[in-house]
């Protein structure tokens, strides 16, 4: 990997480790080109590497720094569910047991973090000794300092001490009981009274957000310097993990934070990426565009993450074209105004049409839209409304290349729609959209329905699916492999439908019941009630019967 490391341009100064520095490996369970493009991985690596009390080595599936003989800590950042396969493979490559119960000194403590583990750590709980729930800005320092206090203690003492740190979850210290081996969860409780009954996800509330700590031509986004413009999203679409899990919405100051960060990055590259769930809703976004339109930035290539539809102006489109972008991406979810009301998407069809007109007028050649099928409360006529919306866009902005990327609704923890299952009609509805849109000259990119089923299984899974995940990786990552593994393990866990398709009652013990997210469950239930009140009348009573206590 020497050629890879020499291509890196660091935007931080690594510390010189002390003689007794803690030997630490920080891993990303995928290839280097993918891992180094993760802003979260970059920031955590730099934070660790700037501590003189740590000796940090990096590890990817295709290469690594020189690794210590006996690491004390091994951290993994998990941002995609199916990367769990690579987590297990990396542990085995280091001759470490994959099950936390089988590890003892001198094996390192295995800790993990990232959005997948923060949302619902339970499917992976038995693979990790420690899981960090929430924002690294708060967690990392407290975790390392707490470990140093018990560095030379036995493993049990270490884990009990770490479990007292806010946001640090030690799965082995919490017992899960079930009504039956293949039934619902009965309770989740700490083993001792001195442990917190709920582990609180930690939320960084500062107004300085993340920026790239390394720029390299070997990244998946070559030579890009990334700036986090916003964190979370004020829209709070009721299915959206990126909004609900990361509340509150935070925006850094333009003058005090964003501009200095951008200027720092553009000293080493000419490619800038503005990141966030709703970038254009930064209150000073127009001023940011004005700043980037100055002559000294004419050479900069600009990329912007998905933007709110009603913020797509001709000025924004012209700025993107000036900076070598040819397309813009908006999330519309559906062409049905009623369905968007259900999910709390504050958007009307005429605003989508206006965005297309502005995109074309500003010189963009392509408009990419994100949609979804299987949204709770969806009816066949809502699919027809999406087709009609796409046709109206084509009429309003002729010549603008239209692409609709479409996924299947997947329930996510800590959102108001966590109690809903995957709609069994979703695959048929994806095919219907494809049938009607492609002959119209519009590109349709459906996400795999089978992958959505697997994602839902992991999103709603409890600890009983860990043996299933370990088994599946030997069968191959296909839906058929998961069904085969469920058959092998029948009687030891509920069936696939329980996790994926069933609606869950609001009084049911959820796998993540002991993890406290940004909003209390009572608030999520109120948001759920607001959504179901807009369901078609025939579906309201049926749905409420399914989820009611």
């Amino acid at each position: 990997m020497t050629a890879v490391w020499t291509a890196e341009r660091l935007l931080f100064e690594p510390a010189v480790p002390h003689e007794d520095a803690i030997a630490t490996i920080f891993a990303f369970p995928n290839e280097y080109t993918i891992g180094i493009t993760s802003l979260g991985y970059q920031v955590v690596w730099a934070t660790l590497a700037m501590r003189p009390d740590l000796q940090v080595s990096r590890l990817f599936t295709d290469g690594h720094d020189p690794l210590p003989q006996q690491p004390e800590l091994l951290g993994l950042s998990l941002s995609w569910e199916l990367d769990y396969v690579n987590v297990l493979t990396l542990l085995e490559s280091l001759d470490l047991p994959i099950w936390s119960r089988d590890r003892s000194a001198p094996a390192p403590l295995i800790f993990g973090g990232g959005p997948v583990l923060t949302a619902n750590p339970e499917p992976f709980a038995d693979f990790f000794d420690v899981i960090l729930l929430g924002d690294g800005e708060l967690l990392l320092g407290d975790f390392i300092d707490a470990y140093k206090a018990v560095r030379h203690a036995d493993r049990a003492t270490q884990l009990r001490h770490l479990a007292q740190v806010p946001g640090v979850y030690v799965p082995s210290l919490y017992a899960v009981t079930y009504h039956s081996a293949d039934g619902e969860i009965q309770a989740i409780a700490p083993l001792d009274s001195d442990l917190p009954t709920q582990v609180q996800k930690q939320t960084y509330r500062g107004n300085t957000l993340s920026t790239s700590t390394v720029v390299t031509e070997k990244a998946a986004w070559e030579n890009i310097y990334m700036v986090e413009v916003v964190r979370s999203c004020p829209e709070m679409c009721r299915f959206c993990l990126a909004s609900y899990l990361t509340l509150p919405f935070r925006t850094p100051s333009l003058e005090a934070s964003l501009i200095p960060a951008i200027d720092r990055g553009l000293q080493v590259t000419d490619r800038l990426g503005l990141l966030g769930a709703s970038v254009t809703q930064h209150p000073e976004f127009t001023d940011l565009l004005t700043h980037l339109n100055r002559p000294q930035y004419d050479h900069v290539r600009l990329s912007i993450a998905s933007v709110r539809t009603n913020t797509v102006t001709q000025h924004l489109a012209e700025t993107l074209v000036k900076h070598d972008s040819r397309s813009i991406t908006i999330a519309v979810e559906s062409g049905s105004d009623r369905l968007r009301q259900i999910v709390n998407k504050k958007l009307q069809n005429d605003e989508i049409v206006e965005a297309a007109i502005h995109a074309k007028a500003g010189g963009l050649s392509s408009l990419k839209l994100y949609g979804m099928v299987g949204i709770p409360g969806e009816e066949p006529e809502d699919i027809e409304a999406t087709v009609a919306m796409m046709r109206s866009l084509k009429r309003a902005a002729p010549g603008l290349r239209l692409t609709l990327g479409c996924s299947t609704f997947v329930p996510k923890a800590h959102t108001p729609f966590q109690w809903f299952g995957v709609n069994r009609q979703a695959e048929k509805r994806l095919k219907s959209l494809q049938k009607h849109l492609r002959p119209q000259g519009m590109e349709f990119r459906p996400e795999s329905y089978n992958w959505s089923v697997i994602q839902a299984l992991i999103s709603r899974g409890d600890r009983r699916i860990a043996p299933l995940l370990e088994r599946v990786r030997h069968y191959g990552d296909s839906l058929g492999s998961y069904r085969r593994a469920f058959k092998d393990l029948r009687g030891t866990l509920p069936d696939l439908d329980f996790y994926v398709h069933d609606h869950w009652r609001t009084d049911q013990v959820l796998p993540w019941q002991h993890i406290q997210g940004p909003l209390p469950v009572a608030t999520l239930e109120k948001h759920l009630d607001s959504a179901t009140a807009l369901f078609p009348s025939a579906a309201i009573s049926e749905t409420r019967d399914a989820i009611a206590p």
Side-chain angles (χ1 to χ4, degrees), residues 385-456:
T386 298
V387 174
M389 176 199 69
M390 294 298 293
R391 288 173 176 164
S392 68
L393 296 181
K394 187 174 183 180
R395 289 193 300 270
L400 185 67
R401 188 166 67 252
L402 300 174
T403 300
L404 176 63
C406 200
S407 62
T408 295
F409 163 74
V410 171
K412 296 291 186 178
H414 308 289
T415 71
F417 283 2
Q418 64 184 354
W419 291 281
F420 287 118
V422 173
N423 191 320
R424 296 177 187 275
Q425 298 298 313
E427 187 172 25
K428 182 189 297 183
R429 292 174 183 178
L430 286 172
K431 291 178 179 177
S432 176
L433 284 173
Q434 180 170 300
K435 175 183 175 182
H436 287 94
L437 292 179
R438 286 187 174 170
Q440 301 289 321
M442 289 175 276
E443 188 172 359
F444 181 64
R445 295 179 181 174
E447 190 173 89
S448 164
Y449 171 77
N450 286 349
W451 152 238
S452 296
V453 169
I454 296 169
Q455 190 182 29

Side-chain angles (χ1 to χ4, degrees), residues 226-395:
M226 297 173 284
V227 177
E228 188 182 17
V229 176
V230 300
R231 187 172 295 183
S232 192
C233 176
E235 296 307 302
M236 297 178 68
C237 293
R238 290 172 178 135
F239 60 82
C240 184
L241 184 69
S243 177
Y244 274 85
L245 186 66
T246 57
L247 289 170
F249 183 58
R250 284 147 288 168
T251 60
S253 161
L254 180 65
E255 293 293 336
S257 179
L258 285 181
I259 288 178
I262 289 169
D263 288 345
R264 185 167 61 250
L266 294 181
Q267 292 176 13
V268 298
T269 186
D270 62 357
R271 186 173 182 189
L272 175 65
L274 303 181
L275 305 187
S278 191
V279 170
T280 53
Q281 286 184 273
H282 189 289
E284 299 175 288
F285 186 76
T286 301
D287 295 332
L288 177 58
L289 286 185
T290 300
H291 180 78
L292 293 174
N293 275 329
R294 294 179 180 181
Q296 64 263 40
Y297 296 111
D298 283 351
H299 66 292
V300 173
R301 297 169 60 201
L302 179 63
S303 301
I304 297 182
S306 178
V307 303
R308 179 162 166 77
T309 304
N310 62 5
T311 61
V312 178
T313 62
Q314 185 172 332
H315 176 51
L316 172 60
E318 289 171 346
T319 300
L320 290 172
V321 170
K322 178 180 178 181
H323 292 284
D324 205 29
S325 283
R326 293 292 176 262
S327 68
I328 196 168
T329 302
I330 58 176
V332 298
E333 315 317 339
S334 171
S336 166
D337 287 335
R338 183 191 65 85
L339 208 57
R340 286 196 297 268
Q341 281 186 291
I342 287 175
V343 302
N344 199 37
K345 190 82 173 180
K346 306 171 188 73
L347 181 64
Q348 298 293 318
N349 275 335
D350 57 356
E351 294 174 291
I352 302 172
V353 171
E354 191 173 0
I357 293 171
H358 288 163
K360 184 184 178 188
L364 291 171
S365 59
S366 176
L367 177 65
K368 300 177 182 177
L369 303 96
Y370 283 142
M372 186 180 290
V373 299
I375 293 170
E378 180 184 85
E379 296 291 317
E381 52 264 32
D382 297 313
I383 303 301
E384 297 168 9
T386 298
V387 174
M389 176 199 69
M390 294 298 293
R391 288 173 176 164
S392 68
L393 296 181
K394 187 174 183 180
R395 289 193 300 270

